[in-house]
């Protein structure tokens, strides 16, 4: 092998090794995806002419901050049981209201009224709460079963 080719091969190897090291360092420096903790759901059925409610609460942490939390209640006996929810499915659902609780953590609460007509037309049985947490840097966490409740 000529000296010129040998130098070219060595130079290429050095450049590729440097690029690989940079890529690894960059990947290690990325903030982790948002994390969820202390998720709870509370469902109250309509009673005596008064609306019921559905309330979901969770804490979300992300080093780059939390941009939003989208929430969807879905019945176990639905198409989502066969074809799981995706982040794209969650993009158009309602957002929770989030307030800081310290550091990079927010407490998010989602509340919606449940009318007697809503309750009567909804599937009875097991339901799940799906959430999509989006951090300030765009990273996401999708939990399709963040909490469960039963609609009797």
């Amino acid at each position: 092998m000529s000296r010129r080719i040998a130098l070219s091969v060595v130079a290429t190897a050095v450049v590729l090794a440097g690029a690989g090291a940079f890529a690894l360092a960059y990947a290690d420096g990325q903030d982790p995806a948002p994390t969820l903790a202390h998720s709870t759901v509370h469902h109250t059925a309509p009673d005596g002419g008064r609306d019921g409610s559905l309330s979901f609460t969770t804490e979300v942490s992300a080093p780059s901050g939390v941009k939003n939390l989208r929430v969807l209640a879905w019945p176990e006996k639905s198409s989502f049981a066969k074809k799981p929810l995706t982040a794209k499915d969650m993009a158009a659902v309602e957002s929770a209201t989030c307030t800081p609780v310290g550091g990079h953590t927010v407490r998010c609460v989602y509340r919606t009224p449940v009318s007697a007509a809503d309750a009567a037309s909804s599937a009875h049985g097991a339901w799940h709460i799906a959430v999509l947490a989006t951090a300030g840097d765009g990273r996401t966490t999708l939990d399709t079963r963040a909490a469960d409740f039963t609609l009797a």
Side-chain angles (χ1 to χ4, degrees), residues 84-117:
L85 283 161
T86 65
K88 187 175 180 180
D89 295 326
M90 296 291 292
V93 303
E94 295 179 358
S95 292
T97 302
C98 301
T99 54
V101 293
H104 302 289
T105 303
V106 296
R107 179 171 294 120
C108 299
V109 178
Y110 172 79
R111 287 190 181 100
T112 189
V114 178
S115 69

Side-chain angles (χ1 to χ4, degrees), residues 49-101:
R50 292 185 359 203
D51 282 348
S53 65
L54 176 67
S55 177
F56 172 76
T57 304
T58 193
E59 290 184 1
V60 185
S61 298
S64 64
V66 178
K67 184 176 177 182
N68 65 34
L69 181 80
R70 302 216 180 254
V71 180
L72 176 68
W74 61 279
E76 187 169 283
K77 295 179 182 176
S78 73
S79 61
F80 296 133
K82 294 177 182 128
K83 182 181 178 238
L85 283 161
T86 65
K88 187 175 180 180
D89 295 326
M90 296 291 292
V93 303
E94 295 179 358
S95 292
T97 302
C98 301
T99 54
V101 293

Side-chain angles (χ1 to χ4, degrees), residues 16-39:
L16 289 175
F22 175 77
L24 285 175
Y26 180 76
D28 285 344
Q30 292 289 317
D31 287 337
T35 58
L36 304 168
H38 312 296
S39 299

